[in-house]
Amino acid sequence: MFIGEIMDNLRDPELWMGIASKLIQALILIIAAMILVRIANRMIDNFFQVKSKSRLKGSSKRNQTLINVLQNAATVFIWFVAIMMVLETFSLPVRTLLAGAGVVGLAIGFGAQSLVKDMITGFFIILENQFDKGDFVRVNTSGTTVAEGEVLSLGLRASKIQGWEGELFIIPNGTINEVVNFSRYNAISMLDMNVSVEEDLDAVENILEQFFEARWQEEEMLVSKPEILGLQGIENGEAIIRIMLETQPMEHFGVTRRMRKAIKNHLEGKGIYISVPKMDIQDFDDKMAKDEGE
């Protein structure tokens, strides 16, 4: 009897028409959600493109970070609404499900406090603009460095940082206690050039000053003309002349190497050569002679 009723219901064309109608509605909702996600992402991109051309353009890295966060948030929201509407289409008790999910979520929340901490910390990292995608940072946890490198992505839960050797660090935001950002301000590098103490140091400094005055702008990463600080010290027959370089953020490593080579070549062209350490072996020879005499 019961099976017969089920078979009669399955033979009912209206049942299949209703199921087909709901499937079509669900498919339309899914397609609409996909289109809305694309539209939202495009609108966010266009907004920041227009913003980049205004006086309030901000930094490109900051804008890219905000674009990624806003697009992710918009995608999650749109798909959440779409899924709720699909469930309503199939006459499922959405409110009951949400209430049950709230109770379950509360129970899970007590065991997921670290997740909540990660998201809150991520929110404040973005709000306070501590670092952006593309920045070079050092991340510390309780005074211990856990990652150093370029920020690949910044999310509410975790951040991805690529190290010097290509290693990928995925760090929960809640564990980030200290951040050292190397990409916000110009970098300072101290370049030491060693010449013989027998050289006229005033003449060497004048030659360097003329060289910088004429050619420092050839190095694109330099922000200003190098400053000759003067004699830094004398060691092993060498006079150490210190030069201060101000470069664009994180460009001081390459600039220092290139400027050291350019200065060496220029000084050699003027007949001044980089010295090598010298050791006074007179005392050693005297000691050897004394030992032999004994």
Side-chain angles (χ1 to χ4, degrees), residues 105-168:
L106 182 62
I108 295 176
F110 287 105
Q113 295 181 12
S114 61
L115 176 61
V116 176
K117 180 182 178 181
D118 292 341
M119 298 187 69
I120 292 176
T121 305
F123 172 78
F124 279 104
I125 288 175
I126 296 171
L127 180 65
E128 297 173 355
N129 192 19
Q130 296 182 15
F131 57 87
D132 294 318
K133 178 181 178 181
D135 284 354
F136 191 94
V137 299
R138 178 187 299 141
V139 174
N140 297 334
T141 298
S142 300
T144 302
T145 300
V146 295
E148 182 173 346
E150 180 182 356
V151 179
L152 296 183
S153 67
L154 169 61
L156 286 177
R157 193 196 69 82
S159 300
K160 295 181 180 179
I161 299 175
Q162 184 176 23
W164 284 104
E165 299 178 354
E167 64 272 31
L168 178 64

Side-chain angles (χ1 to χ4, degrees), residues 218-232:
E218 295 178 5
E219 177 53 63
E220 297 180 354
M221 295 298 107
L222 277 174
V223 174
S224 61
K225 187 183 75 173
E227 181 180 352
I228 302 174
L229 301 182
L231 182 63
Q232 178 66 18

Side-chain angles (χ1 to χ4, degrees), residues 44-58:
I44 293 171
D45 281 331
N46 291 340
F47 171 79
F48 279 95
Q49 286 180 6
V50 173
K51 180 175 177 289
S52 65
K53 298 177 183 178
S54 68
R55 288 185 296 179
L56 302 176
K57 59 183 181 179

Side-chain angles (χ1 to χ4, degrees), residues 84-99:
M84 292 299 102
M85 294 178 68
V86 169
L87 294 177
E88 286 279 4
T89 300
F90 287 97
S91 302
L92 294 174
V94 176
R95 294 183 180 179
T96 303
L97 291 175
L98 289 176

Side-chain angles (χ1 to χ4, degrees), residues 2 153 197:
F2 177 72
S153 67
V197 292

